[in-house]
Amino acid sequence: MTDTTQTTKQNELCVTQFINASPATVWQVMTEQLESWWCPKPWRVEINAIDWRSGGRFNTTMHGPNGETIPGTSVLLEVSPQQRLVFTDALDANWQPQEAFFVGIMEIQAEANGTRYTGRARHWNEHDRKQHESMGFIEGWQAVARQLAELSEKAAGAHA
């Protein structure tokens, strides 16, 4: 039940993490504490706009420890409570195409006495997938999954 990294489809990168908390608790942390787990420390994320519905805007700015800033303009494609978040940078919330990098899928599913979190990044081509890998996808998304697990398990302990 440990975390793993796998590629299941062409041009997809994937990480999984077992979380010792219910899907309801994990979902609550995913959506209500996004700024606390969304990017690997020492980076932090600022949520500029989020509309928790399919078609809703999802705009962020990532801030690095050396003053780096990476703005992100995305749209939520699917919001299925306690199951899945799907977003893409291919469109903005006004359905305007923009330079795209990937489709992100974050899924949670009950497993044993907890939850299996799976984070996927699907890319349009091999070049973009390899670029995302070289940017530290595996380490970064594993760190994010661990941060989500820590927060969720702490929240589950508070509810016990």
Side-chain angles (χ1 to χ4, degrees):
M1 288 200 258
T2 60
D3 63 331
T4 60
T5 302
Q6 58 187 359
T7 299
T8 57
K9 296 185 180 205
Q10 184 176 10
N11 298 322
E12 178 181 277
L13 298 170
C14 178
V15 299
T16 70
Q17 173 77 41
F18 178 78
I19 302 173
N20 192 16
S22 71
T25 298
V26 175
W27 182 262
Q28 183 176 18
V29 170
M30 283 176 71
T31 58
E32 295 178 12
Q33 296 183 48
L34 196 64
E35 290 179 332
S36 298
W37 68 271
W38 186 255
C39 61
K41 294 179 184 350
W43 285 73
R44 66 179 182 81
V45 69
E46 175 184 358
I47 307 301
N48 303 314
I50 192 159
D51 183 3
W52 289 109
R53 63 177 180 83
S54 297
R57 88 180 55 237
F58 181 36
N59 301 338
T60 62
T61 302
M62 292 176 58
H63 298 278
N66 299 314
E68 308 93 332
T69 58
I70 302 173
T73 301
S74 305
V75 66
L76 294 169
L77 299 174
E78 179 183 347
V79 179
S80 296
Q82 298 185 39
Q83 296 176 17
R84 179 179 312 125
L85 290 175
V86 181
F87 63 96
T88 186
D89 59 353
L91 302 166
D92 68 18
N94 295 316
W95 304 114
Q96 292 297 314
Q98 52 189 16
E99 187 174 329
F101 191 56
F102 71 100
V103 173
I105 303 167
M106 298 184 166
E107 299 173 304
I108 59 174
Q109 182 176 359
E111 178 180 304
N113 292 325
T115 302
R116 174 64 57 183
Y117 165 84
T118 303
R120 302 177 195 282
R122 292 185 177 159
H123 303 83
W124 275 256
N125 56 57
E126 182 180 10
H127 174 267
D128 288 350
R129 178 186 53 79
K130 286 183 176 180
Q131 180 183 357
H132 206 177
E133 273 183 301
S134 71
M135 291 168 62
F137 169 86
I138 294 169
E139 298 82 5
W141 281 42
Q142 283 178 335
V144 164
R146 284 191 300 274
Q147 289 167 183
L148 176 61
E150 289 170 10
L151 290 166
S152 298
E153 290 167 358
K154 182 177 179 183
H159 296 127

